[in-house]
Amino acid sequence: KTITKVTTTALSTGEKMTQIRRTHSPPARSRLFSISTPTTTKTETSSSTQHTNSRTSEMRESTTAAVDSAFTPYQGEQPKEALSEIFVPHIFSHTLPHHDSSSSEEEEQQQESTLVNEELLWVPQTESVSFRPLCLCVSSGYYVNLLRVKGSGLLSRHRHPGPVHGHVLKGRWKYLEHSWEASEGSYVFEPPGEIHTLVVPEGVDEMITLFHVTGSLLYCDPDGNVTGAEDVFTKLELAKKHYAKVGLGEDFVQQFVR
């Protein structure tokens, strides 16, 4: 029989090495097996710790650099042909800085802003219906505006050749052609081609909805025959006339035109 002897040798570091040997002459293919844990001195341990700390520091610096890079503004030039952004600080504020198209950007920053009564910004369409332009995109044929109806009222039956997105900010309304009612916080998508009639019910003092309208709004009779139309260009002309009438000047609307 083969007798296996296990010997354990203590090392200076307190670690152990176990050796397994066979007492008989091992066959030609048998070998000596050694299972050991590498020994480390205090100097090596200290060096390893320093190396780990160094790697941790490098990783921390690398992470910080990545974060700093992510929050670094774009350093190049914007396309020269790109249009400028539109920023409206408060769509429900009672004042808005007056826009002077003849002043340079630097002059506008140095001068005190002329504040405008918010009510003057609403362009009347009827006695109870008005809109406030936010973006009149003549280059793409769409407009974004706030539609306001004071008290109960109706926006005449109409069809949209293009898509419409709506977000109710105040009050509630419905379409005569649908069973649902849109209220504050509701979002509505109106598919191209649909004909509907917007009604603000009794009990609503004021309704305001943000609408993004692509293309025209075609007014229709009960049979769908077109009786009138409006689009971004008719909205622009109404706004020019209104702002000129209230003393803001027709160029006031240009800050919303793209």
Side-chain angles (χ1 to χ4, degrees):
K1 295 182 180 179
T2 301
I3 301 175
T4 302
K5 182 179 181 182
V6 180
T7 61
T8 302
T9 305
L11 303 178
S12 60
T13 59
E15 297 177 346
K16 297 180 178 180
M17 179 174 67
T18 303
Q19 291 184 328
I20 304 174
R21 299 179 185 273
R22 299 183 185 277
T23 55
H24 283 298
S25 298
R29 298 183 60 184
S30 65
R31 298 176 180 175
L32 172 67
F33 294 88
S34 175
I35 305 173
S36 63
T37 302
T39 61
T40 46
T41 64
K42 291 183 179 180
T43 302
E44 291 173 332
T45 301
S46 176
S47 176
S48 176
T49 301
Q50 291 176 358
H51 178 70
T52 301
N53 290 340
S54 176
R55 286 289 299 158
T56 302
S57 178
E58 290 176 2
M59 291 175 64
R60 186 180 296 112
E61 290 176 0
S62 176
T63 302
T64 301
V67 171
D68 289 344
S69 176
F71 282 89
T72 299
Y74 173 57
Q75 301 298 299
E77 293 185 0
Q78 301 293 353
K80 294 180 179 179
E81 294 78 10
L83 299 174
S84 59
E85 73 282 356
I86 296 175
F87 174 65
V88 179
H90 304 288
I91 61 174
F92 282 136
S93 70
H94 295 288
T95 56
L96 188 74
H98 184 273
H99 175 75
D100 184 356
S101 58
S102 64
S103 299
S104 66
E105 183 175 347
E106 184 177 350
E107 289 173 336
E108 287 183 358
Q109 291 176 352
Q110 292 175 351
Q111 296 172 357
E112 275 191 31
S113 297
T114 302
L115 299 181
V116 178
N117 188 318
E118 187 237 0
E119 189 59 33
L120 299 180
L121 302 175
W122 291 93
V123 180
Q125 291 186 269
T126 68
E127 289 186 1
S128 60
V129 179
S130 58
F131 72 91
R132 177 176 174 178
L134 298 177
C135 177
L136 300 173
C137 190
V138 296
S139 58
S140 295
Y142 72 82
Y143 59 90
V144 180
N145 67 187
L146 301 180
L147 176 70
R148 181 177 71 175
V149 178
K150 287 193 171 183
S152 58
L154 177 145
L155 183 64
S156 300
R157 182 188 316 103
H158 59 276
R159 179 174 76 238
H160 294 283
V164 175
H165 301 269
H167 179 207
V168 184
L169 304 177
K170 186 178 182 181
R172 53 194 173 88
W173 54 268
K174 63 174 297 180
Y175 285 132
L176 294 180
E177 295 76 13
H178 293 288
S179 60
W180 50 262
E181 182 177 85
S183 57
E184 186 173 327
S186 296
Y187 163 78
V188 178
F189 167 71
E190 301 175 10
E194 182 178 281
I195 297 177
H196 42 236
T197 313
L198 191 154
V199 175
V200 178
E202 294 287 342
V204 178
D205 296 329
E206 184 179 59
M207 182 282 288
I208 299 177
T209 297
L210 186 151
F211 279 112
H212 177 232
V213 181
T214 301
S216 303
L217 184 151
L218 305 175
Y219 292 105
C220 307
D221 65 16
D223 297 320
N225 299 307
V226 177
T227 59
E230 66 178 47
D231 57 18
V232 64
F233 298 101
T234 59
K235 290 278 190 181
L236 176 56
E237 288 305 311
L238 283 173
K240 283 182 179 180
K241 292 178 181 179
H242 169 70
Y243 293 143
K245 181 179 179 180
V246 299
L248 296 176
E250 68 173 35
D251 283 347
F252 182 84
V253 73
Q254 292 302 321
Q255 61 188 300
F256 307 117
V257 177
R258 292 296 183 273

